Amino acid sequence: MALLGLITGVEFMENAMFVFAASHVMGGIGASPRDFALVLASYAVGSMLMIVKQQWLAHRFGYRRYLTVALSLFALGAMGSAAANGLHELVLARFIQGVGGGALFTSSRILVNLMFKGAERGRAIRYFMIGVFSASVLGPVLAGALIEWAGWQSIFLGIVPPTLVAVVGAYLLLPDAEPRSEATALALQPLLLFAGAIIALQLALSEMRYDIFAHPLRLALLALVGATLLLGFLYQQWHHQTPMLHLRPLHNPVYLTGLGLYFMYYVLSNFSSYLFPILAEQALAMPTLTAGQLNSFAALISLLGIMVYLRLGAKLPRKKPMMVGGAVAIGLSAWWFAHLPPNASLEWLLPGLVAKGLFGVLLVIPVAGLTFRGLDDAHFAHGYQSKNLMRQLAFSMSSGLAAVLMQNRQFATHAQLSAAVQLDNPVMGDWMARVQGWLLTQGYDAAHAHLAAQALLERQLAQQAQLLACDDLYLLLLGMAALTAVMIAAQRKLA
């Protein structure tokens, strides 16, 4: 279980570090949010291609060899990402890392069921959940420390040592699966069909915010191509005798409802995780390490909540109120952050972080326990495979959307503030005169004092614009949380 927790943990930790450091990575390679969406999409595409072939590869080569190679690719992609000097290099490196990372979560969770039976399995699953949430606690604070000490590239190098430990452990300790008759051919045709579908859909999501008005026909055509290819892939898999995705056993209302709630959870969680570092670092001018510590504090609340739930969850026969409470918790967190004053201190952030931490426990753990209850061991692997495909799509979509919306709102609020702040305004004129007077007392000459005062004004405008943009996006998050709460309350399959 320590090894399986480590194999899953390296991917969760790396994802937490990457989302936390997203703005630093964009600045490091000089990428716009539109370009950055391609970086997100490349990891998601690589990961989903690996997930869709997970069963075939595991049966063909055995879990020991399969995960050893996957972890090696994950480490290779991380090192390539650290060495990237531009967008295209990072896109390629993240694709390689995604191919390796796509194997880790699904395979580890399936191995829990394969390697542990009876009462041991329940205990193993509890350790597995604690390991996953512990990795999420370590990720942000480690990313904050690495960025301050060694720059944005170090967030990729920081995950390499534990990944190499996992490589050795996987090779020495994991079992090899029995060969299966279904693992006889690579089946390139459906794989290429799926690859074309997800690439087209990812590009459509990446371009939607820009092209929906400027080039609506091009965007619609790209989305139509992706949807057609995906439907073709699903039709082919439904009728195939030995499919990559076993869809027939998953045609279960409980499972499909749980899959929808999983999707909403991942969208809300990743959207919030992208916003908070920007709020803390750029809008409230907190050090990067402090922002990482605050993010990890919220994850620690989730971990503590997990431990409480593992003790008391069985005594709660109805889980729906808890799931609604999770959606309400992220909504309260968003409302709190949207109403912070410009000079908010660290203590002001704690209530919102506590609510953010409780969100994960209250929503996703009951969903995880209820979604797969209708699937037996033979179909559990296929269900988890499909769930993790959806997870990658939700992560990529929500992060890309948050990045683009943040830039747009920052530009809009900065333009509004700049129009309102003119030097012919008596209040602004008085402020500039006082600042220039103070700078003159510090040894500046008149010309440089004027330039320095203007630079200070521009910096304060940029910070205020960033705060207002964060406020707007947190209000959007509040709306999404309210919609999620209504959906959970209305559904009848997961209670």
Side-chain angles (χ1 to χ4, degrees):
M1 271 318 303
L3 175 60
L4 293 179
L6 177 62
I7 291 173
T8 307
V10 292
E11 196 219 358
F12 270 76
M13 187 186 299
E14 197 279 338
N15 283 342
M17 293 168 69
F18 183 77
V19 173
F20 174 83
S23 60
H24 295 274
V25 175
M26 276 191 281
I29 62 170
S32 69
R34 187 177 195 172
D35 295 333
F36 188 68
L38 296 177
V39 177
L40 295 165
S42 66
Y43 185 94
V45 169
S47 180
M48 286 190 281
L49 287 174
M50 178 61 93
I51 291 171
V52 82
K53 290 300 293 180
Q54 188 269 340
Q55 290 286 287
W56 186 90
L57 290 166
H59 294 155
R60 184 78 170 186
F61 300 106
Y63 279 102
R64 180 173 64 89
R65 287 185 290 270
Y66 169 54
L67 283 176
T68 298
V69 173
L71 286 161
S72 300
L73 284 174
F74 188 76
L76 180 64
M79 290 185 284
S81 298
N85 293 315
L87 174 66
H88 297 99
E89 296 172 14
L90 186 59
V91 166
L92 176 60
R94 288 291 287 173
F95 174 79
I96 295 170
Q97 194 174 8
V99 170
L104 307 184
F105 188 16
T106 304
S107 298
S108 296
R109 183 61 185 85
I110 292 170
L111 280 170
V112 170
N113 280 20
L114 291 177
M115 298 171 66
F116 299 93
K117 305 296 181 183
E120 278 194 340
R121 180 182 296 177
R123 188 167 69 247
I125 291 173
R126 288 195 293 272
Y127 289 147
F128 185 79
M129 289 191 295
I130 291 172
V132 166
F133 277 83
S134 296
S136 299
V137 173
L138 294 174
V141 67
L142 180 59
L146 289 173
I147 290 169
E148 283 206 350
W149 296 338
W152 65 270
Q153 296 94 335
S154 61
I155 67 159
F156 298 108
L157 295 177
I159 202 65
V160 172
T163 304
L164 295 179
V165 173
V167 169
V168 175
Y171 185 77
L172 295 177
L173 300 176
L174 286 184
D176 286 318
E178 293 287 333
R180 301 286 184 90
S181 59
E182 66 189 62
T184 56
L186 182 58
L188 279 177
Q189 181 183 356
L191 186 64
L192 293 174
L193 193 64
F194 179 74
I198 58 175
I199 289 171
L201 290 173
Q202 283 285 346
L203 287 174
L205 289 170
S206 301
E207 299 294 312
M208 183 175 292
R209 186 64 181 85
Y210 295 94
D211 286 352
I212 193 166
F213 295 116
H215 305 286
L217 184 60
R218 183 175 68 187
L219 182 65
L221 182 61
L222 187 61
L224 179 62
V225 168
T228 302
L229 291 174
L230 183 60
L231 288 174
F233 170 77
L234 294 175
Y235 179 85
Q236 192 263 1
Q237 293 297 290
W238 184 272
H239 293 281
H240 203 280
Q241 290 185 346
T242 56
M244 292 187 296
L245 283 180
H246 294 252
L247 299 175
R248 289 179 181 273
L250 306 181
H251 191 60
N252 180 311
V254 173
Y255 173 77
L256 294 176
T257 301
L259 209 61
L261 296 185
Y262 259 124
F263 180 81
M264 293 304 299
Y265 164 76
Y266 286 130
V267 168
L268 294 173
S269 177
N270 219 49
F271 198 94
S272 175
S273 295
Y274 179 87
L275 283 183
F276 182 77
I278 295 176
L279 172 71
E281 288 184 72
Q282 300 179 28
L284 300 177
M286 292 183 175
T288 302
L289 179 56
T290 301
Q293 291 168 337
L294 291 170
N295 236 356
S296 290
F297 171 75
L300 180 61
I301 296 296
S302 294
L303 178 60
L304 295 175
I306 286 286
M307 295 179 176
V308 173
Y309 180 85
L310 292 176
R311 288 183 174 274
L312 304 179
K315 299 178 181 179
L316 302 173
R318 287 180 51 80
K319 301 297 192 291
K320 184 190 285 190
M322 185 181 300
M323 293 187 290
V324 173
V328 170
I330 194 64
L332 289 174
S333 173
W335 179 87
W336 184 267
F337 290 140
H339 292 84
L340 288 175
N343 58 345
S345 62
L346 187 149
E347 291 76 14
W348 272 92
L349 299 174
L350 296 183
L353 291 170
V354 171
K356 181 175 182 288
L358 291 175
F359 154 67
V361 183
L362 295 175
L363 180 53
V364 77
I365 299 304
V367 169
L370 296 172
T371 298
F372 302 99
R373 64 184 177 182
L375 303 180
D376 56 25
D377 281 355
H379 298 135
F380 175 84
H382 308 308
Y384 222 78
Q385 182 185 26
S386 299
K387 188 273 281 188
N388 280 339
L389 281 172
M390 179 274 303
R391 169 179 171 255
Q392 286 300 334
L393 185 63
F395 271 21
S396 174
M397 183 190 73
S398 57
S399 294
L401 182 65
V404 171
L405 290 178
M406 176 63 75
Q407 184 189 50
N408 287 353
R409 289 309 304 153
Q410 186 182 6
F411 283 165
T413 53
H414 192 279
Q416 293 169 359
L417 289 174
S418 298
V421 177
Q422 299 295 332
L423 295 182
D424 56 1
N425 183 319
V427 176
M428 284 309 306
D430 179 63
W431 183 87
M432 284 289 291
R434 285 188 286 109
V435 172
Q436 289 181 65
W438 178 79
L439 290 171
L440 287 170
T441 66
Q442 303 302 307
Y444 285 75
D445 58 41
H448 287 93
H450 180 71
L451 292 174
Q454 285 185 322
L456 179 60
L457 174 62
E458 178 55 36
R459 186 163 64 248
Q460 292 189 349
L461 282 177
Q463 184 177 342
Q464 185 65 20
Q466 188 72 77
L467 179 62
L468 292 174
C470 288
D471 291 347
D472 290 344
L473 264 65
Y474 270 117
L475 290 176
L476 174 61
L477 180 62
L478 173 59
M480 292 192 293
L483 177 62
T484 302
V486 171
M487 291 171 58
I488 294 171
Q491 61 84 28
R492 295 288 181 267
K493 302 300 181 184
L494 273 65

